[in-house]
Amino acid sequence: MRRTVFNEDHEAFRETLRAFIEAEVVPVYDEWFAAGQAPRDFYYKLAELGIFGIRVDEEFGGAGIDSYKFEAVMYEETARAGVQFGGSGVHVLLGLPYIKMLATDEQKKRFLPKFVSAEEMWALAMTEPGTGSDLAGMKTTAKLSEDGTHYVLNGSKTFITGGVHADRVIVCARTSAPTAEDRRHGISLFAVDTKSEGYSIGRKLDKLGLKTSDTAELAFVDVKVPVEDLLGEENKGFYYLGHNLASERWGIAFGAYAQAKAAVRFAKEYVQERTVFGKPVASFQNTKFELAACQAEVDAAEAVADRALEALDAGELTPAEAASAKLFCTEVAHRVIDRCLQLHGGYGFMNEYPIARLYADNRVNRIYGGTSEIMKTIIAKDMGL
């Protein structure tokens, strides 16, 4: 099936990115894996490549291209190489939409040039230890000072991807109590400077997968946040979060599809080289049937991911469509990667093989950005059920 989602510019970018990964990432990736994070300096290399400025307006140092297709190429190429770009993904996929949607002209002038250059890396802090998917239940508070010059932030967050290296974190906090009619009311968003007094990074979390992505606990004790760093209007944070979840869930869906595609590639290469009973593993009917079934699932996931990408670029991706894409692509990736690992035999359980790392990395796709169960709830509601 011929894909139509990418053009010559995207393919030229793909070639450049593939060469960059081979030169700058693959040779040192084992070191990043052992350290549990990519080095902060690596993000400057991504900035020099133009990765962070693709969707940023030219007046702020970006390319001014209003499309997610270059990010889609990045998902495919990092998965193909069996690597990740540390925690930098949240910088663009999660951080940028909020700046573009909510920042004032003054804020954009302050934030975006540093965003593009990697001088300031961004993260998003929603989840709290006791809330999980129930964002309306968050306890972190931000109270306006008596003189009205700043908010006082108190609370904690967990599972914050990019939290170790972040220079700015979009923190979700309660600025007023929920109402009896709407418990989601009263949440606001703040672009918090991580150098602020009272801001601290707790544990760097030891995860099952995504080992090169720095994920942390954050704590805020009487952190003073200038009123100039409020993003959007006070008390409307939950609406903003819901608005941007579609692009986040598309990113997870497309990333999962790319991982599944990469898994088939890894398994195909392995079974063609590995011999048992004097024959290549690829020569056995079971191997052929397993890979054929996996390829069919990847083809279907690719079509779903591409359709969601086109809708996202057109500004037409609905919450239910994003949930459907995420549910389908992440479930496909789960099945395909598991079957491809099985074809590796015992070696599939060894971290020196990319399929093992991919297996661990993929598992979170059905959890973050909203669990598969939450996706089903959204889809069912859209069906009128």
Side-chain angles (χ1 to χ4, degrees):
M1 291 180 283
R2 186 174 65 88
R3 296 179 82 184
T4 59
V5 70
F6 298 124
N7 62 29
E8 292 179 359
D9 290 338
H10 302 122
E11 296 307 329
F13 175 69
R14 185 188 301 280
E15 291 181 14
T16 299
L17 185 62
R18 187 173 295 183
F20 173 84
I21 290 171
E22 288 299 320
E24 300 289 347
V25 182
V26 172
V28 294
Y29 196 70
D30 286 345
E31 297 173 19
W32 296 4
F33 190 85
Q37 62 185 33
R40 178 64 173 79
D41 288 348
F42 172 67
Y43 299 148
Y44 291 112
K45 294 182 180 180
L46 290 177
E48 290 173 7
L49 195 63
I51 296 295
F52 298 146
I54 293 171
R55 290 191 290 112
V56 175
D57 291 342
E58 292 182 38
E59 63 179 300
F60 304 116
I65 301 173
D66 189 20
S67 172
Y68 284 82
K69 291 183 179 180
F70 291 93
E71 288 170 49
V73 171
M74 279 191 283
Y75 283 123
E76 291 186 335
E77 289 306 306
T78 51
R80 179 185 181 277
V83 302
Q84 295 172 340
F85 286 166
S88 66
V90 300
H91 180 66
V92 175
L93 184 65
L94 302 188
L96 185 57
Y98 289 98
I99 302 174
K100 292 182 69 172
M101 179 176 72
L102 303 176
T104 63
D105 289 342
E106 182 276 331
Q107 287 175 325
K108 288 179 180 177
K109 290 176 183 177
R110 279 197 292 132
F111 296 150
L112 286 175
K114 293 180 180 179
F115 180 99
V116 171
S117 68
E119 184 178 343
E120 284 190 349
M121 295 297 295
W122 288 62
L124 176 64
M126 293 190 289
T127 305
E128 297 183 1
T131 60
S133 296
D134 182 21
L135 295 178
M138 68 177 62
K139 305 297 184 184
T140 297
T141 60
K143 296 182 179 180
L144 188 63
S145 63
E146 291 184 4
D147 62 7
T149 61
H150 61 272
Y151 291 85
V152 180
L153 182 66
N154 283 284
S156 62
K157 300 290 181 179
T158 192
F159 306 148
I160 309 307
T161 303
V164 175
H165 286 320
D167 303 288
R168 285 266 177 187
V169 176
I170 299 173
V171 177
C172 311
R174 283 210 163 274
T175 43
S176 65
T179 65
E181 297 78 21
D182 187 2
R183 58 193 296 267
R184 298 171 296 180
H185 171 78
I187 295 171
S188 301
L189 307 184
F190 300 89
V192 179
D193 186 339
T194 63
K195 297 185 295 296
S196 302
E197 184 177 352
Y199 180 105
S200 63
I201 301 171
R203 292 183 302 152
K204 185 179 76 172
L205 300 173
D206 183 17
K207 308 182 297 297
L208 170 67
L210 302 179
K211 288 294 189 179
T212 66
S213 173
D214 54 300
T215 304
E217 295 174 330
L218 306 179
F220 322 109
V221 179
D222 293 334
V223 176
K224 292 182 179 180
V225 183
V227 292
E228 293 81 9
D229 289 345
L230 172 69
L231 285 175
E233 294 183 41
E234 197 177 81
N235 298 326
K236 291 190 176 180
F238 200 96
Y239 165 76
Y240 299 142
L241 294 172
H243 183 274
N244 283 332
L245 276 173
S247 61
E248 178 183 350
R249 287 167 178 163
W250 164 80
I252 297 169
F254 205 95
Y257 139 71
Q259 289 176 326
K261 182 177 181 179
V264 172
R265 174 174 174 263
F266 296 147
K268 179 182 175 182
E269 291 176 351
Y270 179 82
V271 298
Q272 287 176 327
E273 296 171 0
R274 174 76 169 164
T275 59
V276 293
F277 306 117
K279 296 189 211 177
V281 175
S283 68
F284 292 92
Q285 186 182 67
N286 179 69
T287 303
K288 296 176 182 179
F289 281 8
E290 282 292 283
L291 282 177
C294 287
Q295 184 61 54
E297 289 218 73
V298 168
D299 287 343
E302 181 180 86
V304 170
D306 283 357
R307 185 181 68 175
L309 173 56
E310 294 285 20
L312 180 63
D313 265 11
E316 299 172 353
L317 185 64
T318 68
E321 289 169 343
S324 179
K326 180 181 184 295
L327 178 65
F328 182 78
C329 291
T330 57
E331 294 292 341
V332 164
H334 162 65
R335 294 191 296 270
V336 167
I337 294 170
D338 184 75
R339 294 167 85 171
C340 288
L341 186 149
Q342 187 74 15
L343 289 173
H344 282 70
Y347 289 104
F349 206 63
M350 302 295 112
N351 273 328
E352 65 185 277
Y353 282 80
I355 192 69
R357 299 181 183 183
L358 195 59
Y359 182 87
D361 291 347
N362 170 74
R363 185 58 184 87
V364 76
N365 288 332
R366 292 182 290 148
I367 299 173
Y368 67 3
T371 63
S372 291
E373 292 71 27
I374 294 294
M375 298 304 100
K376 291 174 185 176
T377 300
I378 294 169
I379 297 165
K381 184 177 180 180
D382 186 67
M383 295 170 65
L385 298 175

